[in-house]
Amino acid sequence: MEVSDSETETVGRRAATYAASATLISGALAAPAVVAPAYSRAVGTLLVVLAVGVALRAAVGTALAFRPADALGPTEETDPSSPDEWPTVSVVVTAYDEADTLSATVEACRRLDYPADRLDVLLCYERASTDGTARIAERVAADNSRFRAIERDAPPGGKAPAANVGLRHATGDVIAFVDAGQRPESGALRRAVAWFRGDDDAWCVKGRCWGTNAGDSPVARHAAVERHLAERGEFVARELADGFTLFTGGLAFFRREAFAALGAFDETVLLEDVEFASRIHARGKRVRVDPGVVSAETNPATVGSWWSRRKRWARGGMQVARRYLGSFARNADLPARLRADAVATFGGLLALPVALLALPAVLVGLADGGPASYVPAERAVLLAAGAAALLSPVGVFVRDALDGRPHSFGEYAAVPTLPVYFAVEAAVVVAAFLDEFVLRRPSVYVPSDRPGAETDQHAEANQSSAEADRSAEGDD
């Protein structure tokens, strides 16, 4: 898979291609509405159902987030008294042109609360890096025997090839993968590993990524709110409801046997994490989600960086959905609830862009003065769904505050403008759909930039100081 710092076409040419393609498809989808009002209302019904479904999932996720904390993590019985009872762990850190954030990630790995003789950290960097990433990795490995520097001597191919190189060198019973832009909290590893001691079917534990740069720009602020809504609401709801859990980038922990049974990460898709989660579920094993396993991260602060990352996520999700939708629907060996959730997830990923492109068909129907759909009281239903969706992030923020993780005023203030944010994200989804199914463009992995490293390091220093203070208070 090609890796590029930017897409090959100019912004203007790319936008013109998307606009022309979307116009042609929307025109074709809207044409039947001119002579068949029932068609227009059927399309409108699909859009209402999708909107209500998304809002309900957000509301249910927020409600489930208020479950007691002991329902969201391993039990105390899984924490052994003797350090040598803990499994060995290899932490694989993948890095490509990430000199600005790698040092902070290394420092976070140094602070992990885990028996030192049972932990090693592999700094897997791309030889093609041009910003000093290699120098940092080699220096750290020379200074600390717990760290090993591993060079990937090949053209950059995205995260999956780098992770697979690290996987080949990992010796731990548990293998953790950490992006170079992530800084796991000191207790994250111990808490994640405890899941494997208490649940033989758990092959993966997914943590939560907490954005530290919400104040950098409106883009970073809204991206942080979206991340919180997904990872403290939606993903936790899937866990508590025994649904189709998944892990997405950043920070994840695996039993070694998962790779022995399923092989390495797929290097041909843009979302190798969701693809691997699908293989885990298809095997009858589990991906556990624990919001108490936390890692700090920096969200994109510019529109270009945000667009590249979201489009990669959207297109990668469609690639996985196309591959697994049918197999999950047919797999009678899986629990019915998990199958239904997987089908809803993958079906929604494929249906949403088509429904968005068909929106002009609804407008044609509305021009005749009739209802937009077959849903009774459609406007009231949509208003209620919209209100529920806007209240969901506030509920997540309140839950976090009760857990001692308050959010900034700026994040609360971003909630009313989330509809605008998600409308722009809808355009990203359509662009990803056009790339994958219409324009048939090659998959290009565009790494997101990670501005605000100084802000993150300052936040990490504050976190380290606060942890030291709490430790001192405990000693007293």
Side-chain angles (χ1 to χ4, degrees):
M1 183 183 299
E2 179 187 354
V3 174
S4 174
D5 290 335
S6 62
E7 298 188 62
T8 55
E9 294 177 294
T10 64
V11 173
R13 181 178 177 182
R14 195 162 62 245
T17 302
Y18 287 143
S21 301
T23 298
L24 289 173
I25 295 172
S26 293
L29 292 173
V34 176
V35 296
Y39 170 81
S40 174
R41 294 180 67 183
V43 173
T45 301
L46 173 62
L47 286 168
V48 171
V49 169
L50 285 172
V52 171
V54 170
L56 281 177
R57 288 194 74 109
V60 170
T62 301
L64 289 175
F66 281 86
R67 290 276 297 275
D70 58 6
L72 301 172
T75 63
E76 292 183 1
E77 288 75 14
T78 61
D79 193 346
S81 57
S82 174
D84 59 10
E85 294 180 19
W86 287 95
T88 56
V89 177
S90 294
V91 177
V92 177
V93 179
T94 55
Y96 171 47
D97 276 348
E98 296 182 269
D100 58 342
T101 58
L102 183 56
S103 294
T105 302
V106 167
E107 183 57 32
C109 290
R110 292 183 197 273
R111 296 198 306 267
L112 288 172
D113 177 20
Y114 204 80
D117 63 341
R118 309 189 74 76
L119 171 66
D120 67 331
V121 182
L122 283 61
L123 304 178
C124 188
Y125 66 89
E126 300 279 4
R127 183 178 183 181
S129 295
T130 60
D131 66 346
T133 295
R135 184 170 60 253
I136 293 173
E138 295 291 350
R139 184 179 68 242
V140 170
D143 293 342
N144 192 319
S145 60
R146 290 174 60 188
F147 288 78
R148 285 189 285 157
I150 299 174
E151 179 185 80
R152 180 177 178 272
D153 186 10
K159 179 182 174 181
N164 286 337
V165 169
L167 176 62
R168 290 195 290 271
H169 288 81
T171 59
D173 299 319
V174 173
I175 305 173
F177 290 89
V178 180
D179 288 355
Q182 298 283 335
R183 284 82 59 200
E185 292 184 351
S186 61
L189 178 55
R190 182 181 288 265
R191 182 178 174 105
V193 169
W195 276 105
F196 298 124
R197 294 180 57 84
D199 185 352
D200 291 339
D201 286 336
W203 274 15
C204 172
V205 176
K206 184 259 188 298
R208 177 185 182 185
C209 301
W210 185 286
T212 59
N213 67 323
D216 282 2
S217 73
V219 173
R221 186 156 48 250
H222 286 80
V225 173
E226 178 191 23
R227 191 80 151 171
H228 292 309
L229 185 59
E231 299 208 336
R232 191 59 179 87
E234 167 72 12
F235 290 176
V236 171
R238 291 172 182 264
E239 167 69 30
L240 293 175
D242 292 327
F244 179 65
T245 51
L246 46 86
F247 72 95
T248 51
L251 179 70
F253 307 81
F254 301 86
R255 290 184 188 273
R256 168 175 287 280
E257 64 189 273
F259 297 103
L262 303 177
F265 292 111
D266 191 322
E267 300 180 9
T268 67
V269 297
L270 288 168
L271 220 56
E272 77 290 330
D273 40 20
V274 176
E275 194 280 334
F276 198 77
S278 300
R279 278 191 272 162
I280 290 176
H281 281 299
R283 188 68 174 235
K285 301 301 181 179
R286 303 189 67 179
V287 177
R288 306 307 302 259
V289 177
D290 185 352
V293 178
V294 181
S295 176
E297 71 171 1
T298 305
N299 283 301
T302 65
V303 173
S305 177
W306 174 86
W307 178 280
S308 295
R309 177 183 288 189
R310 291 304 188 272
K311 187 153 73 72
R312 170 162 54 86
W313 289 356
R315 186 176 182 185
M318 293 173 198
Q319 292 171 345
V320 178
R322 179 168 57 179
R323 181 181 300 182
Y324 286 101
L325 175 59
S327 62
F328 272 94
R330 295 188 299 268
N331 193 341
D333 294 332
L334 298 178
R337 187 179 301 179
L338 188 150
R339 289 175 59 199
D341 195 17
V343 170
T345 298
F346 290 143
L349 286 172
L350 297 175
L352 178 59
V354 177
L356 291 171
L357 287 167
L359 183 59
V362 181
L363 300 179
V364 171
L366 287 174
D368 294 334
S373 72
Y374 290 109
V375 177
E378 61 190 27
R379 292 185 182 181
V381 170
L382 287 173
L383 285 173
L390 287 177
L391 288 174
S392 294
V394 176
V396 168
F397 293 167
V398 171
R399 173 71 270 180
D400 280 336
L402 293 174
D403 290 339
R405 296 181 179 275
H407 291 264
S408 66
F409 172 78
E411 289 175 282
Y412 281 93
V415 171
T417 53
L418 281 176
V420 177
Y421 174 84
F422 286 121
V424 177
E425 194 160 56
V428 176
V429 171
V430 170
F433 175 83
L434 294 174
D435 279 348
E436 181 68 18
F437 294 101
V438 179
L439 302 175
R440 303 280 184 170
R441 286 175 166 159
S443 294
V444 177
Y445 192 102
V446 182
S448 305
D449 63 20
R450 285 160 291 277
E454 294 180 0
T455 301
D456 284 335
Q457 291 168 11
H458 178 66
E460 284 293 305
N462 288 343
Q463 176 189 331
S464 180
S465 176
E467 289 176 350
D469 290 344
R470 287 195 293 270
S471 177
E473 290 173 0
D475 293 341
D476 292 341

